[in-house]
Amino acid sequence: MTHSPVHRCECPRCQSAEPHPDQAFHHHMNVFLSRLNEPQRRWFVALEAMRLGHGGKHLLAQITGMGPTTILRARHELEADLAGSPEVHLRAPGGGRPAAEERDPELEHVLETVLALETAGDPMGRRPKAKRSSLQHLSTALKNKGHAVSRPTVSKLLRKLKYSPKVNARRTEVRGCFCGRASRAVRPYQ
Ligand SMILES: [Zn+2]
């Protein structure tokens, strides 16, 4: 992940040869701002400008290099409770937890094994033997095999493995009754 360069404060105190506590503070502020995205930067700068009151906008423009027009716009956005402003996504691209099947490469295979056992009782493969098996049941079965996954994850994996949701299962069943053969294209499961 790359970071924006840290802006150097151009306020009179930071330009002066005399040491001043503001020099470190302004530097820290610019370091902090370099890690924010654009909307976050302008909202923080506008807040600081509002906190300082008179002359705040001008000083913050010197400290951060942000244009006074941008600071004013951010102030108006804050005053409107950020209505219509974009949501800020806090996770970096590619960040966050990897999908369960990536963390546990065996997971899909184990789920298929569990499903195979449950559908084994029907020679047509049309109706899973344990049709009433819930996501909770599958989740528990996986957990017992040492693969702890949530129900939503089981649901996602079922879709991925082409086990159709309830509605399709019913439709497939009806079609199976008419032709006497189950469609193998969709493996009904719920
Ligand atoms: Zn400064």
Side-chain angles (χ1 to χ4, degrees):
M1 192 176 168
T2 54
H3 299 289
S4 314
V6 177
H7 180 79
R8 291 179 71 147
C9 178
E10 288 157 12
C11 84
R13 281 175 177 160
C14 290
Q15 299 303 305
S16 162
E18 288 292 304
H20 191 282
D22 278 359
Q23 293 168 354
F25 181 71
H26 292 175
H27 174 69
H28 291 150
M29 193 187 288
N30 280 318
V31 169
F32 173 63
L33 289 169
S34 74
R35 299 296 181 99
L36 303 185
N37 63 26
E38 208 284 317
Q40 290 169 329
R41 257 200 299 277
R42 66 173 186 262
W43 296 330
F44 174 77
V45 171
L47 272 176
E48 272 295 298
M50 287 158 77
R51 190 175 66 82
L52 292 176
H54 182 72
K57 189 175 67 183
H58 178 67
L59 179 59
L60 262 296
Q62 286 184 330
I63 298 170
T64 66
M66 190 175 285
T69 316
T70 304
I71 300 173
L72 187 63
R73 175 161 63 96
R75 180 183 176 143
H76 290 155
E77 288 175 313
L78 288 168
E79 284 170 347
D81 294 339
L82 301 184
S85 298
E87 289 283 332
V88 172
H89 298 286
L90 297 175
R91 289 199 305 188
R97 279 158 67 84
E101 61 269 33
E102 286 170 34
R103 278 180 281 135
D104 182 355
E106 281 180 62
L107 186 59
E108 273 182 41
H109 176 68
V110 176
L111 178 60
E112 284 203 292
T113 308
V114 171
L115 290 165
L117 284 171
E118 299 204 341
T119 56
D122 181 2
M124 306 301 282
R126 189 176 57 203
R127 285 176 63 155
K129 184 183 171 193
K131 191 167 166 51
R132 289 179 187 279
S133 274
S134 62
L135 292 174
Q136 180 62 63
H137 170 82
L138 288 171
S139 178
T140 306
L142 288 169
K143 192 180 173 187
N144 290 341
K145 289 178 180 293
H147 301 267
V149 279
S150 66
R151 278 179 286 172
T153 300
V154 174
S155 176
K156 192 182 84 177
L157 285 174
L158 286 174
R159 281 197 301 275
K160 192 176 173 186
L161 294 172
K162 302 274 193 296
Y163 280 82
S164 68
K166 199 173 174 180
V167 174
N168 282 344
R170 259 197 230 114
R171 202 179 296 147
T172 308
E173 239 172 74
V174 171
R175 212 164 46 219
C177 286
F178 280 117
C179 69
R181 275 179 294 140
S183 164
R184 297 273 174 178
V186 180
R187 291 185 282 181
Y189 201 84
Q190 60 174 306

